[in-house]
Amino acid sequence: MSESASEVRTPKNFLEEIIERDLADGRHESILTRFPPEPNGYLHIGHAKSITVNFGLAKKYGGATNLRFDDTNPVTESVEYVESIKRDVKWLGYEWQQELYASDYFEQLFEFALQLIRAGLAYVDDSTSEEIAAQKGTPTQPGTDSPYRSRTPEENEDLFRRMRAGEFPDGARILRAKIDMASPNMHLRDPVLYRIKHAHHHRTGDSWCIYPTYDFAHGQSDSIEKITHSICTLEFVPHRPLYEWLIEKLGIFPSKQFEFARLNMTYTIMSKRKLMQLVNEGHVTGWDDPRMPTISGLRRRGYTPEAIREFCARISVAKRDNLIDVSLLEFCAREHLNRTGLRRMVVFDPVKLVITNWPQGKTELLESENNPEDTEGGDRQVPFSGTLWIEQEDFMADAPRKFFRLSPGRSVRLKSAYIITCEDYVADENGTVTEIRCTYHPDSRSGSDTSGIKAKGTLHWVSAEHAVPVEVRNYDRLFLVEDLATAEGDFLDHVNPDSLITIPQAMAEPGLLDDLAAPEANRPHFQFMRKGYYFEDDDSTPEKPVFNQTVGLRDTWAKVNKK
């Protein structure tokens, strides 16, 4: 077996080089990173990359990672999102050193703001949001000073304390940093540090009505925790000068920010706002819909944490944005599930096959391997009888020469069973085949075949007498265009109408149900033979088992796309 991408020796990425240099120079004795999700939605595959980077670097260099929720906007945040994020991080295989919240530091952040005010580096502004936007200028033209910029530190402190006391309505006043309205970096043109929001916070209740902005809470929270390497995605590059300015002016622990390319993936939306729109408008069934790129959706679909970590290792860490083919994620899933998935036979579009020379009433238990890739996977017993279900597509009444499945006069092997020869078939008035009649060769049993008959095809099957009906949900990509960022029109114009195809009653071998007693954490993954990889859905019940397609046996999208 070849080594996985994460095990193969590869050149160090630029973040590893930075950390090794900092440790060698004695700048830090150990490293501490953080993963700072905003609890206003569910994590997606892009966050999975950030998780593997932050936790992976800390683990590699003997450090630790804090899980810190950026809960500075009570209007959009909830405990539901906090709990889902914690579950996702643990499911991916990571443990944090401390579970922290920006709200833990609200009092300290307020004191930092007072420190800036007293130093003449922050002021309370009464301007409207429209006036502030106009004051900012443009990237090619400098901004203009707010008429409130010249307030004294004493006046600003008084107003800021009254903001905290709840004297003013939402939007009446803000606190801004006093930096440079002519700076070529728009983020340094007196950015907003605090705003008034009379909203209930999921942790602090109603004790606060002013909340720090991300730009103010971010660096200061890093510094309070003594984060050594604050790793962000590239869109935060222009925010770094403000991050450094605030830390310098406050004279606090000098956390450093470093940026890497975020994950952009074909046929996939990564915008949390757009993902929420898909949920709220009913285009999907929820954040954990198996078509969603959320970690919870991928988990429900049957992706494994090992496959996702392998995917993140293969795409590595870059300094430049690029578009990753979603087929790579599917490949990583397929590779892992091929090694671990239990083989089971499930017929999606059944047609009856009768073995005319099979002894009446006889049932034979046949041995079939659980996974040929797993030497310790063992075998299972599959009941075989004289009436079977096979796939409609596996029979043709008038077959071309290269059709290596079943047709009149031709022979095939039934998986782990016998070779059969088609003698006749029955069709209805529309020409639809309703029954196939065959004979079997008693001396052709798998593992002890002495028949000398050569059958080019092997079919999966299920004993009709013992078959268990199950619902199968086959998934395709949620969007039809490769790069949604450059696609014309609204992103909803490109939703794939065939992203979910439900087969309400497929026929499964009975042993499939014996594997479903395990709790969710230990649910087995399956390869439905000749079909793809499947996983039991959360909607599944003992009375009505439901299975989601994780990924097909091979990448067929490229072929379909070319057509």
Side-chain angles (χ1 to χ4, degrees), residues 173-229:
R173 288 186 163 92
I174 58 170
L175 183 71
R176 297 175 71 178
K178 187 188 289 186
I179 306 179
D180 181 5
M181 291 302 291
S183 172
N185 185 334
M186 299 287 285
H187 293 279
L188 294 180
R189 295 185 185 181
D190 291 10
V192 178
L193 303 182
Y194 268 89
R195 66 275 201 232
I196 301 171
K197 284 183 183 288
H198 291 271
H200 184 82
H201 191 280
H202 68 97
R203 294 189 73 247
T204 61
D206 298 315
S207 58
W208 290 87
C209 62
I210 59 171
Y211 293 94
T213 60
Y214 175 82
D215 275 337
F216 187 60
H218 178 201
Q220 284 51 258
S221 297
D222 284 347
S223 182
I224 291 168
E225 296 172 20
K226 293 184 169 49
I227 300 299
T228 60
H229 297 80

Side-chain angles (χ1 to χ4, degrees), residues 65-92:
T65 302
N66 286 344
L67 177 63
R68 183 179 72 240
F69 292 93
D70 173 36
D71 56 343
T72 58
N73 187 357
V75 175
T76 60
E77 298 159 359
S78 75
V79 174
E80 174 193 352
Y81 297 138
V82 169
E83 293 304 316
S84 74
I85 289 167
K86 288 160 60 176
R87 181 187 182 197
D88 288 347
V89 174
K90 286 185 176 179
W91 179 76
L92 282 171

Side-chain angles (χ1 to χ4, degrees), residues 122-164:
Y123 62 97
V124 174
D125 195 337
D126 301 359
S127 303
T128 65
S129 57
E130 292 78 14
E131 289 169 339
I132 292 172
Q135 293 164 15
K136 285 273 190 176
T138 69
T140 57
Q141 292 184 331
T144 55
D145 287 355
S146 164
Y148 305 99
R149 200 174 194 264
S150 58
R151 279 174 166 160
T152 65
E154 293 76 18
E155 185 180 4
N156 284 316
E157 181 170 347
D158 175 65
L159 287 171
F160 188 53
R161 289 187 181 277
R162 290 164 64 191
M163 285 169 61
R164 176 178 179 172

